[in-house]
Amino acid sequence: MTVILHTLNTSPGSAGFTDCLRVIAAGDALLLMGDGVYGAIADTAAGATLQASGAEIYVLTADTAAAGVSNLIKGANHVDMDGFVALTERFPRQQAWY
Amino acid sequence: MGAVDKKSVLVVVRRSPYGSSLARASLDVALAAAAFEQPLRLLFMGDGVLQLLAKQESEAIGVKNIGRLLTSLPLYDIERVYVDAAAATRYGIDLSNAPVTTQALDGPGIHQLMTDCDHVLGF
Amino acid sequence: MLCTNAFDQEGFLRKLSDWEPQVAEQIARAEGLELTCAHWEILHLLRDYYREYDASPAMRPLVKYCALQLGADKGRSIYLMSLFPGSPAKLGSKIAGLPKPDNCL
């Protein structure tokens, strides 16, 4: 069942990250963009916590490239802008954490 | 929720009252929606719980008083107001003295609240 | 009489403290209204609302506030419309010397 699409564009040290983690659950999707992509770096506490949430994790490809983390990310699906749009069509409601 | 119901809206308020203009902006959205009789719920989350501190005196910095504005929510028929329990605890906020009566929710409770609403507006 | 630059482009008083009963009369005249006791009752109520909530009311809370303070007979939009035709929250706030309500179209 698809429930909530979360977008997060702040880093793991931010209030946005903390608040997002408080809510996110299995059945949700989380799209990391901007500084949010640092949350998906493998073998970090943040990455492990996101994986443990049970939500589908997505990262915006261009933002991971810009940040230099493309090769450091594990367990996330890469999407471009069209993929982002497709996600917004799949989920009836969206919460932006920023 | 029946098909004839109006779309229900949840406004998520996550900003401290005087650190930026976002706190005020999110409340203005809530009040505007309520003035047009949209069923509206309000959630204070994260730093947003700081808006619930009693005895704000923002006149000292020449800014409108968010605490006093919150006391007018019942006049807008905004009765369903929720608060992130962990954030309130983290800041030691006494919810019994808050400008508005709230219902405390844990993480799964917040997720359920979002799921119950047709639209989620996050600030 | 206050001069024109005491008011903004829409005729709302710029400074809350500039307001006094004669100013209300002046604004009302410009709006083509003669103020009666019934008007004054609502104007004072609007000033009270602003003092209490630090905001000018939209129509819905104004009606409810009137009902709470003055009773159900006066807490009706038709009653407020009869005193302040068109948009009572906006026109009433203007004459009461308050800022334009945020949520009023």
Side-chain angles (χ1 to χ4, degrees), chain B residues 6 14 29 34 54 63-64 84 94 102 114-115:
Chain B
K6 291 187 184 180
R14 294 181 39 245
V29 166
V63 178
K64 295 263 186 207
D84 172 358
D94 174 11
T102 55
M114 289 181 171
T115 308

Side-chain angles (χ1 to χ4, degrees), chain B residues 9-11 13 26-44 69-82 99-102, chain C residues 60-61 64 103:
Chain B
V9 177
L10 174 69
V11 174
V13 181
S26 56
L27 291 180
D28 281 341
V29 166
L31 296 184
F36 289 95
E37 302 189 13
Q38 294 297 310
L40 188 115
R41 294 183 236 195
L42 201 54
L43 166 66
F44 291 92
L69 183 66
L70 290 178
T71 61
S72 73
L73 290 179
L75 293 176
Y76 283 82
D77 291 322
I78 300 177
E79 310 277 5
R80 290 182 290 185
V81 183
Y82 304 87
V100 61
T101 306
T102 55
Chain C
R60 196 175 179 194
K64 207 161 173 178
N103 305 309

Side-chain angles (χ1 to χ4, degrees), chain A residues 13-89:
Chain A
S14 67
F17 184 88
T18 308
D19 292 350
C20 173
L21 265 180
R22 192 151 160 61
V23 176
I24 196 164
D28 293 351
L30 169 64
L31 173 64
L32 302 168
M33 45 211 272
D35 279 358
V37 301
Y38 298 115
I41 298 176
D43 303 323
T44 61
T49 322
L50 289 183
Q51 293 297 332
S53 72
E56 302 167 25
I57 311 289
Y58 296 85
V59 292
L60 210 53
T61 305
D63 291 347
T64 61
V69 298
S70 300
N71 298 325
L72 304 178
I73 284 174
K74 252 191 253 160
N77 308 290
H78 289 253
V79 291
D80 56 12
M81 275 298 171
D82 289 343
F84 181 7
V85 172
L87 279 173
T88 63
E89 287 166 350

Side-chain angles (χ1 to χ4, degrees), chain B residues 11-26:
Chain B
V11 174
V12 183
V13 181
R14 294 181 39 245
R15 309 294 165 178
S16 59
Y18 307 109
S20 70
S21 59
L22 275 167
R24 177 78 201 193
S26 56

Side-chain angles (χ1 to χ4, degrees), chain B residues 106-123:
Chain B
D106 60 8
I110 294 170
H111 190 270
Q112 187 61 47
L113 174 65
M114 289 181 171
T115 308
D116 287 345
C117 293
D118 296 306
H119 295 289
V120 181
L121 294 173
F123 288 90

Side-chain angles (χ1 to χ4, degrees), chain C residues 13-35:
Chain C
L13 201 58
R14 290 185 200 276
K15 264 174 63 191
L16 207 60
S17 57
D18 275 351
W19 191 86
E20 50 183 352
Q22 293 92 316
V23 174
E25 302 277 8
Q26 180 187 344
I27 302 170
R29 254 196 316 279
E31 296 286 341
L33 274 186
E34 194 67 48
L35 296 182

